[in-house]
């Protein structure tokens, strides 16, 4: 049970024990035994990706955790952009030559804050705090938020350089504590800050932020892997937490998801039941995007798609959306439970339903509190969402609580729900509208 240390001021020529290593590349190229611990120096930032090389064993995990004092260590997928020069013919725009790595898309951060992407240099020059990446000439243009010279204004500029921060590489029995992951900016949806495909791995109090795709990505092969008390935030173009294809019994628990385009997706493989996420989901999390940046386009907060089973339970859910908040998409859903959540439905877009079951039979909606009027249906079973169970929920100040169409009636049950201060109607069943509770009963 050896202890290894890594610090920015270290040296890879060291043995990592009598003196710290310097890089995560050294960690990735080393071998570790069950029970070993790798300590990362607090306050340090590694601008590298870490592909972990070894597995622990049951009862003797390999641990990655901080040492020293200060902020959590950071594994960052972005590099600092320097060497700016004034762009000819423009007022406050500066440029550098920069080619994006394969599968990365353009982004620029100023002191950790995303700048706004513009379509051309004229717009950059007219809008301080913005950038444009010319992919043909491989030139990056920026106008600083203070309209100053980015080479000398004392601010730090970062641009994507890698598609992920940490990958367990299918290794198992790994424990990661109090580490921050940031700024992976991949195009492909199968990438994220943290990519998990091993068994019995555990993430505790980690933060994953500033990414385009996923903060935590559970991939095929992941089994009984958990992220507890973790934070996922500022995910720009996809879901903060993703369970993809054949991962089994993985959960994001007691955590926080904020200011992201989506909260959780569980995504199977259509036409291939063997690629089916099983019993994955979120437990007792707080989820909100009410303070998200203006350029983050919200998709569904939750999307469950093609041959999945899982559960969302005990979560506090709120936020602004331009679509359905919870979307059970086409495909068989096996034993899926949406249970004991507190759901603010008032900010859902008024043209969409809050929880929409689209041709997904067998979903159980149990013991939730739905509150807030968005002038649409709170729970809608549609086009063959048969066998839906809607039991023990409280609908408070919602306009139309439940809508079950004719094609979804078979085996569907609504029982022991509480309806309080309803709007113009309680709901619809088989196409018939019920204006009050007496008619509904």
């Amino acid at each position: 049970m050896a202890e290894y240390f890594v610090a920015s001021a270290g040296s890879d020529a060291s043995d990592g024990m009598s003196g710290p290593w310097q890089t995560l590349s050294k960690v990735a190229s080393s071998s570790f035994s069950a029970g070993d611990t790798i300590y990362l120096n607090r306050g340090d930032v590694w601008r590298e990706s870490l592909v972990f090389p070894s597995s622990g064993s049951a009862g003797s995990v390999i641990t990655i955790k901080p040492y020293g004092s200060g902020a959590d260590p950071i594994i960052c997928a972005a590099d600092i952009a320097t060497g700016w020069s004034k762009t000819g013919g423009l007022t406050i725009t500066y440029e550098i030559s920069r080619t994006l790595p394969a599968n990365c898309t353009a982004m620029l951060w100023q002191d950790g804050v995303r700048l706004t992407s513009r379509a051309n240099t004229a717009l950059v020059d007219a809008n301080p705090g913005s950038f444009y990446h010319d992919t043909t000439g491989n030139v990056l243009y920026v106008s600083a938020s203070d309209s100053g010279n980015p080479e000398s204004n004392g601010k730090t500029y970062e641009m994507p350089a890698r598609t992920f921060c940490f990958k367990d590489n299918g290794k198992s029995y790994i424990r990661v504590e109090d580490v921050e992951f940031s700024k992976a900016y991949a195009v492909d949806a199968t990438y994220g800050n943290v990519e998990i495909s091993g068994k019995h791995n555990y993430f505790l109090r980690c933060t994953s932020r500033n990414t385009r795709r996923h903060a935590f990505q559970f991939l095929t092969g992941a089994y009984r892997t958990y992220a507890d008390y973790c934070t996922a935030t500022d995910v720009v173009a996809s879901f903060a937490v993703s369970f993809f294809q054949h991962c089994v019994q993985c959960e994001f628990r007691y955590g926080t998801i904020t200011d992201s385009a989506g909260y959780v997706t569980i995504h199977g493989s259509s036409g291939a039941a063997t690629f089916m996420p099983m019993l994955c989901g979120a437990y007792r999390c707080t989820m909100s995007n009410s303070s998200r940046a203006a350029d983050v386009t919200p998709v569904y907060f939750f999307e469950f798609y093609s041959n999945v089973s899982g559960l969302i339970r005990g979560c506090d859910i709120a936020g602004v959306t331009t679509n359905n908040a919870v979307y059970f998409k086409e495909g068989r859903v096996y034993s899926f439970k949406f249970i004991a959540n507190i759901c603010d439905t008032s900010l859902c877009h008024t043209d969409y339903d809050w929880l929409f079951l689209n041709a997904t039979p067998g979903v159980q909606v149990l013991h939730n509190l739905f509150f807030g009027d968005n002038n649409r249906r709170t729970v809608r079973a549609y086009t063959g969402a048969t066998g839906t169970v809607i039991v023990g929920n409280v609908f408070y100040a919602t306009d139309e609580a439940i809508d079950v169409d004719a094609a979804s009636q078979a085996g569907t049950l609504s029982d022991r729900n509480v309806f309080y201060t309803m709007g113009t109607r309680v709901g619809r069943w088989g196409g018939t509208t019920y204006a009050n509770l007496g008619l509904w009963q």
Side-chain angles (χ1 to χ4, degrees):
M1 292 188 290
E3 294 183 333
Y4 299 87
F5 297 83
V6 191
S8 294
S11 170
D12 286 350
S14 169
D15 62 4
M17 294 182 283
S18 59
W21 290 325
Q22 183 182 49
T23 68
L24 299 181
S25 297
K26 181 64 176 178
V27 175
S29 63
S30 302
S31 295
F32 302 96
S33 300
D36 287 354
T37 301
I38 298 101
Y39 290 96
L40 305 182
N41 189 40
R42 285 190 176 275
D44 283 351
V45 179
W46 285 270
R47 296 186 182 279
E48 321 174 51
S49 295
L50 175 56
V51 180
F52 203 73
S54 304
S55 292
S57 62
S60 191
V61 301
I62 297 174
T63 301
I64 303 170
K65 63 191 299 186
Y67 77 100
S69 60
D72 287 349
I74 298 173
I75 300 177
C76 182
D79 286 343
I80 295 176
T82 60
W84 300 96
S85 62
K86 188 73 162 45
T87 301
L90 297 176
T91 306
I92 60 171
T93 299
Y94 292 75
E95 66 182 68
I96 57 171
S97 296
R98 184 56 62 96
T99 302
L100 282 171
N103 204 32
C104 277
T105 189
M107 179 47 64
L108 191 66
W109 293 269
Q110 177 185 279
D111 288 343
V113 178
R114 279 185 292 105
L115 299 183
T116 302
S117 178
R118 301 293 181 182
N120 54 56
T121 55
L123 289 173
V124 170
D125 207 52
N127 294 277
S130 63
F131 76 96
Y132 165 64
H133 185 242
D134 177 3
T135 56
T136 302
N138 293 316
V139 179
L140 178 66
Y141 301 89
V142 66
S143 60
S145 61
D146 62 359
S147 301
N149 183 347
E151 194 66 19
S152 59
N153 64 358
K155 302 181 184 299
T156 299
Y157 295 86
E158 299 170 279
M159 186 176 181
R162 288 159 289 277
T163 57
F164 67 93
C165 299
F166 177 88
K167 182 183 294 187
D168 69 15
N169 202 31
K171 301 301 187 290
S172 299
Y173 294 103
I174 302 166
R175 181 183 176 100
V176 183
E177 300 180 11
D178 302 297
V179 176
E180 180 175 319
F181 308 94
S182 70
K183 300 185 176 71
Y185 231 70
V187 176
D188 196 311
T190 60
Y191 289 91
N193 273 353
V194 179
E195 299 178 12
I196 305 160
S197 58
K199 300 175 175 61
H200 303 286
N201 295 330
Y202 186 62
F203 295 80
L204 178 65
R205 296 186 302 271
C206 293
T207 297
S208 185
R209 67 172 76 247
N210 297 115
T211 184
R212 186 172 189 272
R213 282 301 185 181
H214 309 294
F216 293 89
Q217 169 86 309
F218 297 82
L219 296 163
T220 295
Y223 174 70
R224 289 194 174 179
T225 289
Y226 305 101
D228 284 358
Y229 300 99
C230 293
T231 297
T233 185
D234 197 30
V235 179
V236 174
S238 194
F239 295 88
V241 179
S242 171
F243 301 92
F244 187 71
Q245 294 195 354
H246 194 56
C247 55
V248 179
Q249 294 182 31
C250 299
E251 279 193 290
F252 190 83
R253 308 183 299 192
Y254 315 106
T256 301
I257 301 174
T258 62
D259 302 333
S260 296
Y263 298 156
V264 177
T265 182
I266 304 178
H267 200 299
S269 178
S270 58
T274 54
F275 292 108
M276 179 176 67
M278 293 290 292
L279 300 176
C280 297
Y283 175 59
R284 295 189 68 179
C285 295
T286 298
M287 307 177 184
S288 173
N289 76 340
S290 57
S291 61
R292 75 193 192 287
D295 63 331
V296 175
T297 302
V299 288
Y300 321 107
F301 289 160
F302 300 86
E303 181 188 61
F304 312 114
Y305 180 71
S306 292
N307 300 319
V308 301
S309 74
L311 61 165
I312 303 296
R313 53 192 176 130
C315 295
D316 189 347
I317 303 164
V320 179
T321 177
T322 59
N323 213 305
N324 307 110
V326 183
Y327 187 20
F328 288 83
K329 215 167 182 178
E330 301 88 350
R332 176 68 187 177
V333 173
Y334 297 85
S335 186
F336 200 106
K337 295 182 180 180
F338 190 85
I339 182 169
N341 301 290
I342 300 174
C343 310
D344 182 352
T345 64
S346 63
L347 298 178
C348 179
H349 195 283
T350 56
D351 290 338
Y352 293 92
D353 309 303
W354 200 86
L355 195 158
F356 183 37
L357 310 172
N358 184 29
T360 49
V363 176
Q364 299 180 50
V365 183
L366 309 172
H367 312 299
N368 301 283
L369 168 61
F370 300 99
F371 68 95
D373 183 11
N374 71 327
N375 298 312
R376 293 288 287 183
R377 294 152 290 220
T378 302
V379 178
R380 184 184 186 190
Y382 180 72
T383 316
T386 55
T388 300
V389 177
I390 309 168
V391 170
N393 302 283
V394 175
F395 297 90
Y396 181 85
T398 56
D399 185 52
E400 185 174 314
I402 299 170
D403 181 4
V404 177
D405 74 355
S408 302
Q409 288 184 97
T412 292
L413 171 68
S414 170
D415 194 17
R416 298 192 298 278
N417 297 297
V418 176
F419 304 90
Y420 185 72
T421 62
M422 302 302 296
T424 58
R425 55 190 178 272
V426 173
R428 289 187 290 184
W429 197 279
T432 300
T433 298
Y434 295 91
N436 58 60
L437 186 58
L439 294 173
W440 178 265
Q441 290 174 325

